[in-house]
Amino acid sequence: MRVPVRCCWGPLPGGGGGCAGRRQSPQWRSLVGLSGSSGGEDGRGARVREKPPWRVLFFGTDQFARETLRALHAARENKGEELIDNLEVVTVPSPSPKRLPVKQYAVQSQLPVYEWPDVGSGEYDVGVVASFGRLLSEALILKFPYGVLNVHPSCLPRWRGPAPIIHTVLHGDTVAGVTIMQIRPKRFDVGPILKQETVPVPPKSTTKDLEAVLSRLGANMLISILKNLPESLNNGRQQPAEGVTHAPKISAATSCIKWEEQTSEQIFRLHRAIGNIIPLQTLWVNSTIKLLDLVEVNSSVLTDPKLTGQAVIPGSVIYHKQSQILLVCCKDGWIGVRSVMLKKTLTATDFYNGYLHPWYQKNSQAQPSQCRFQTLRLPLKKKQKKKLLLCNSAPSS
């Protein structure tokens, strides 16, 4: 059962008035860039805690964030350690908890849940953000005595923005990591770094694979920070000015393969990066077709005389009967496709029997190079409407 907690958000530290006061902590002043005398009120109705257990308000939505919430909840349930006193959750509105792993976990764990922009009215020591997808206002950030921490799945300043894991895979990075940082008002992903760890990216990792690794790493790092929160805040370091890259949201247009421009490696990386969220798309005889299962082409297939004896151009599609895959020519070679979706999901053999072979029968005089996939170009309005919130981290400061 949830016990209502009365809270009054009074003036910020140094403002006088409001609820009976607690002294402004040096860590908090450092966080928000304040200075001056230590006297003053923060309007929260209780003294700043200088050590655990902490009262935490968590902001999150997806599977990456769920792992952080799970670790916080486990710490709260561990009465022997006394790290977390109170834990409440803010997530975004959704018609079904199943669509939001954080909401589903919070409900199952009987944690208080608020739907943004409702952020509760309890007393909290620190906020924690992981893949929230919403910008926290300066006024909200300043309500936490120890500020707001962000569990960001990249080695900042590399991949600042809402889709760092996707861009890590998309660009073929060999090293990934997690950064625990302080959120700064008004600016994105530029706050001081409290802790940062790196891990190698296994070859051919998908975004989902890497997310699982980084979510566990980030959750453990956050718990480590909370055990020594004031000290961690005092020891924060500024991000370097060099090495800044950005990880913007991915749109549906990104999934459209450009056969003439993209190499096989680029197409495979694109598939590993976003294929589990939005399948790669192309155009087949004026119809959009989605490529569901991409595979590397065996070298023995490439030496098949039936393949080497044909004149092909990027986009050319050939059915290879022995391996039961579609071979599609790209900028520097071939990719294999095991299944597609046209009106329904089809194996490569189904597509050949239902579409490819009939095309050859109808166009018996056509050259093989005329039988091809073409680049799908989405209208601008459609691009905007289909923009995806592929956020592995919240828009944070």
Side-chain angles (χ1 to χ4, degrees):
M1 179 180 295
R2 186 175 168 202
V3 179
V5 180
R6 182 178 181 274
C7 172
C8 53
W9 299 107
L12 296 175
C19 298
R22 61 190 164 188
R23 297 175 67 84
Q24 174 184 324
S25 72
Q27 294 83 10
W28 194 86
R29 289 203 312 275
S30 173
L31 174 67
V32 298
L34 298 177
S35 59
S37 64
S38 60
E41 312 282 343
D42 66 11
R44 294 290 306 282
R47 294 186 178 278
V48 172
R49 295 185 177 185
E50 297 182 357
K51 60 181 181 180
W54 309 116
R55 296 160 295 187
V56 178
L57 185 61
F58 178 78
F59 300 81
T61 57
D62 63 12
Q63 194 66 35
F64 178 87
R66 181 189 182 279
E67 183 64 20
T68 301
L69 179 59
R70 184 205 59 77
L72 290 170
H73 181 55
R76 179 176 179 268
E77 294 294 294
N78 183 359
K79 302 304 181 183
E81 190 172 28
E82 293 189 346
L83 181 63
I84 306 294
D85 178 21
N86 186 46
L87 177 61
E88 300 185 8
V89 178
V90 179
T91 189
V92 297
S94 173
S96 170
K98 292 183 179 180
R99 295 176 59 183
L100 290 174
V102 160
K103 185 173 184 179
Q104 185 178 31
Y105 181 86
V107 170
Q108 291 172 348
S109 303
Q110 299 183 319
L111 295 172
V113 181
Y114 303 98
E115 289 192 348
W116 182 263
D118 184 4
V119 293
S121 58
E123 294 178 347
Y124 312 107
D125 300 302
V126 62
V128 174
V129 164
S131 293
F132 185 52
R134 299 292 188 277
L135 178 65
L136 304 190
S137 68
E138 180 176 5
L140 177 58
I141 294 170
L142 296 182
K143 287 177 179 178
F144 296 91
Y146 288 98
V148 181
L149 309 182
N150 181 23
V151 185
H152 186 91
S154 84
C155 298
L156 290 171
R158 185 163 179 80
W159 301 133
R160 290 175 177 171
I165 301 180
I166 288 174
H167 284 273
T168 297
V169 175
L170 185 60
H171 290 81
D173 288 8
T174 58
V175 176
V178 175
T179 303
I180 309 294
M181 56 164 286
Q182 297 172 310
I183 285 183
R184 292 294 199 201
K186 298 181 181 180
R187 298 185 64 193
F188 297 107
D189 293 336
V190 299
I193 294 172
L194 307 185
K195 191 177 182 68
Q196 188 173 84
E197 293 187 16
T198 62
V199 292
V201 180
K204 302 179 183 178
S205 288
T206 65
T207 291
K208 187 175 181 180
D209 296 335
L210 189 56
E211 179 186 68
V213 173
L214 296 182
S215 65
R216 292 190 293 269
L217 175 62
N220 292 334
M221 290 169 61
L222 175 68
I223 296 301
S224 174
I225 289 290
L226 291 176
K227 289 178 179 179
N228 300 283
L229 182 57
E231 180 183 357
S232 296
L233 293 174
N234 279 340
N235 294 334
R237 59 183 175 86
Q238 297 301 315
Q239 295 185 33
E242 302 79 23
V244 176
T245 59
H246 298 278
K249 297 173 186 177
I250 301 297
S251 72
T254 307
S255 68
C256 299
I257 300 175
K258 301 176 178 65
W259 301 106
E260 298 84 1
E261 301 175 20
Q262 293 175 304
T263 65
S264 58
E265 176 58 26
Q266 288 173 327
I267 294 172
F268 282 123
R269 286 208 306 254
L270 182 62
H271 177 62
R272 293 194 293 266
I274 68 172
N276 68 312
I277 305 166
I278 176 171
L280 305 193
Q281 303 182 85
T282 190
L283 197 62
W284 164 258
V285 191
N286 299 321
S287 295
T288 299
I289 184 170
K290 297 178 180 179
L291 311 184
L292 303 181
D293 187 6
L294 273 61
V295 294
E296 293 184 2
V297 180
N298 190 289
S299 58
S300 63
V301 173
L302 298 177
T303 58
D304 190 322
K306 293 181 180 179
L307 187 64
T308 56
Q310 298 190 42
V312 293
I313 60 175
S316 296
V317 55
I318 298 170
Y319 176 66
H320 191 259
K321 187 175 181 179
Q322 288 74 18
S323 54
Q324 296 184 324
I325 60 174
L326 298 174
L327 301 174
V328 190
C329 182
C330 51
K331 181 180 179 181
D332 70 338
W334 299 84
I335 65 166
V337 181
R338 282 204 180 114
S339 62
V340 302
M341 178 178 286
L342 202 48
K343 295 178 181 179
K344 61 180 181 179
T345 300
L346 303 168
T347 65
T349 303
D350 292 336
F351 180 76
Y352 171 75
N353 291 332
Y355 295 92
L356 203 56
H357 184 60
W359 185 92
Y360 275 115
Q361 289 181 319
K362 184 178 178 180
N363 303 276
S364 57
Q365 303 302 316
Q367 295 295 317
S369 60
Q370 294 177 265
C371 180
R372 62 192 181 101
F373 291 151
Q374 295 179 304
T375 298
L376 173 64
R377 304 190 186 281
L378 296 177
L380 181 60
K381 289 184 179 180
K382 192 173 183 181
K383 287 182 186 179
Q384 294 172 342
K385 287 180 181 179
K386 286 194 173 184
K387 212 161 208 184
L388 303 176
L389 281 177
L390 306 184
C391 303
N392 298 108
S393 84
S396 52
S397 324

